[in-house]
């Protein structure tokens, strides 16, 4: 079966900001890369942006943090103008609507022939051979570490462990939420929003995840970000949040059905524990796509979360939760210090 392409939807785009994004997507450069140096406050839609094609010109590679031949992805640490940067290069899936062009307009170089078996190197036209590129710049030590291949350990966290070990740690150490606030305040990615419910209590914004290039639904990945601030993670949820969670599930599914023609039965809707960013958000990925972090040790289905809160309003304050931590994670060191590992 061919992949369903999303390109026609993209051609509906009308205004200038959206066109800018399309150019970005075309060039394979994530909008994140277009942020002006040290400009954490504004997204590229607002300010004068540095030219997208220049950001990697002076990039100096320090090391390959990790890579996967199977997933065709590489995480690279390097410097841009003496500041740390992380570059993620990822080959993207084939698209049905470019197949004819790909097969007819490419050059074939013979590798070997044997009976009915023929092996070639196909040299595709550049626009059919793009690489999704994400640039995190300036990157913190934590951004660099998280992409390094590392052994991980499963941690068992009681409600008390959360309050005495995890909470004090995440209050000091977690990633900046500036990108989340930029989205909520329409300072960044405003043109990418797929659905928005403006209710201050139960509202949320649904948009493509940074990891998704939106070219085909096979690897669909959206995130719903709660408008309410201050809900850090699963641990903060109680029955008072049921209307918010049910709203995200229902309206998120409806919006995806309408926009991408994918029914709820084709979606995996979940929260991470631990998340990387401590502002309530829900992941929507296509069932069958092995999205990073969708394993049982980290993903909690939103429908299960809702049921758990219905049967016990304090479920997530009292239950023991398990999650993996990388060997170099400071939180793991805290669990070790407390002799909980
Ligand atoms: P998480 O569960 O906090 O952590 O999910 P994870 O990154 O370890 O999965 C945060 C989600 O937000 C991830 O799926 C990220 O790919 C996504 N994300 C991160 N950033 C910095 C951005 C961004 O700037 N824009 C968008 N649209 N998504 C982002």
């Amino acid at each position: 079966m061919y992949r369903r392409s999303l390109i026609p939807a993209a051609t509906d785009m009308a205004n200038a900001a959206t066109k800018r994004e399309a150019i970005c997507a075309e060039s394979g450069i994530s909008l994140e890369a277009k942020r002006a140096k040290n400009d954490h406050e504004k997204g590229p839609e607002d300010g004068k942006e540095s030219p997208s094609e220049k950001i990697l010109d002076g990039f100096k590679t320090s090391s390959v943090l990790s890579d996967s031949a199977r997933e065709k992805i590489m995480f690279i640490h390097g410097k841009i103008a003496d500041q740390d940067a992380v570059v993620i290069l990822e080959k993207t899936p084939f698209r049905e609507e470019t197949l004819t062009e790909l097969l007819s307009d490419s050059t074939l170089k013979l590798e070997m022939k044997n009976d009915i078996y023929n092996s070639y190197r196909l040299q595709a036209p550049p626009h059919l051979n793009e690489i999704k590129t994400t640039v995190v710049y300036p990157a913190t030590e934590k951004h660099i570490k998280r992409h390094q291949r590392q052994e991980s350990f499963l941690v068992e966290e009681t409600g008390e462990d959360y309050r005495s070990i995890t909470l004090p740690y995440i209050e000091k150490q977690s990633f900046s939420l500036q990108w989340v606030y930029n989205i909520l305040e329409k300072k960044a990615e405003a043109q990418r929003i797929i659905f928005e419910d403006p209710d201050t209590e139960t509202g949320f914004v649904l948009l493509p995840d940074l990891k998704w290039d939106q070219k085909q639904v096979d690897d669909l990945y959206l995130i719903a970000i709660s408008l309410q601030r201050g809900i850090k993670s699963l641990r903060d949820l109680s029955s008072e949040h049921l209307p918010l969670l049910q709203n995200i599930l229902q309206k998120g599914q409806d919006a995806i059905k309408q926009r991408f023609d994918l029914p709820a039965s084709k979606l995996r809707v979940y929260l991470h524990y631990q998340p990387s960013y401590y502002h309530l958000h829900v992941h929507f990925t296509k069932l069958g796509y092995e999205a990073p972090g969708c394993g049982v040790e980290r993903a909690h289905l939103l429908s299960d979360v809702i049921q758990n809160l219905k049967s016990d309003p304090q479920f997530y304050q009292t239950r023991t939760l398990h999650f993996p931590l990388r060997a170099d994670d400071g939180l793991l060191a805290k669990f070790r210090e407390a002799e909980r590992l």
Side-chain angles (χ1 to χ4, degrees), residues 32 35 146 179 183 189 192 207-211 221 223 271-272 274-278 281 283 292 298:
E32 290 311 292
R35 285 193 183 164
R146 77 189 293 230
W179 69 273
I183 290 171
E189 305 190 52
R192 288 157 48 94
L207 79 166
D209 192 278
L210 181 60
K211 293 196 276 285
Y221 200 145
I223 40 168
L271 291 88
H272 277 155
Q274 301 284 332
S276 298
Y277 302 96
Y278 290 86
H281 59 274
H283 303 249
R298 195 158 175 234

